[in-house]
């Protein structure tokens, strides 16, 4: 964690590998540009049963909106993931 903080980022211990699903696509912590203070609540509210549905919905929206070959920008993806997952 010290190495991460030395490079200018806020390190955060999100728990053991068994809990890493809380950071996967479709969860409130994934691609939502949260602060270090907001991250614990996002991890706590992750729902394993709903996450795959939310992930698939996000992918469907991107496919419909942008079609083949067009990439959405990071700001759009953060807004989309916040709308779907939070």
């Amino acid at each position: 964690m010290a190495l991460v903080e030395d490079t200018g980022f806020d390190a955060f211990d999100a728990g053991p590998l068994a809990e890493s699903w809380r950071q996967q696509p479709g969860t409130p912590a994934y691609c939502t540009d949260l602060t270090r203070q907001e991250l614990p609540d996002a991890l706590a509210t992750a729902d394993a049963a709903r996450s795959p549905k939310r992930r698939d919905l996000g992918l469907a929206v991107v496919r419909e909106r942008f079609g083949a070959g067009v990439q959405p920008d990071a700001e759009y993806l953060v807004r989309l993931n916040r709308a779907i997952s939070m």
Side-chain angles (χ1 to χ4, degrees):
M1 288 182 54
L3 176 62
V4 171
E5 289 180 355
D6 287 348
T7 62
F9 293 95
D10 290 329
F12 182 82
D13 184 351
L17 187 58
E19 294 294 313
S20 66
W21 65 268
R22 295 180 180 280
Q23 302 173 59
Q24 295 300 309
T27 64
Y30 181 80
C31 194
T32 51
D33 200 20
L34 301 174
T35 66
R36 189 176 190 280
Q37 292 74 28
E38 295 169 320
L39 192 53
D41 287 340
L43 292 169
T45 60
D47 183 335
R50 295 180 75 186
S51 298
K53 295 172 189 168
R54 291 175 176 175
R55 176 203 60 216
D56 294 347
L57 177 59
L59 289 172
V61 168
V62 169
R63 284 185 192 119
E64 180 181 324
R65 166 91 193 234
F66 293 96
V70 179
Q71 296 294 319
D73 64 15
E75 182 181 330
Y76 178 83
L77 292 174
V78 168
R79 287 193 332 264
L80 174 63
N81 283 310
R82 283 183 175 220
I84 291 171
S85 301
M86 296 182 83

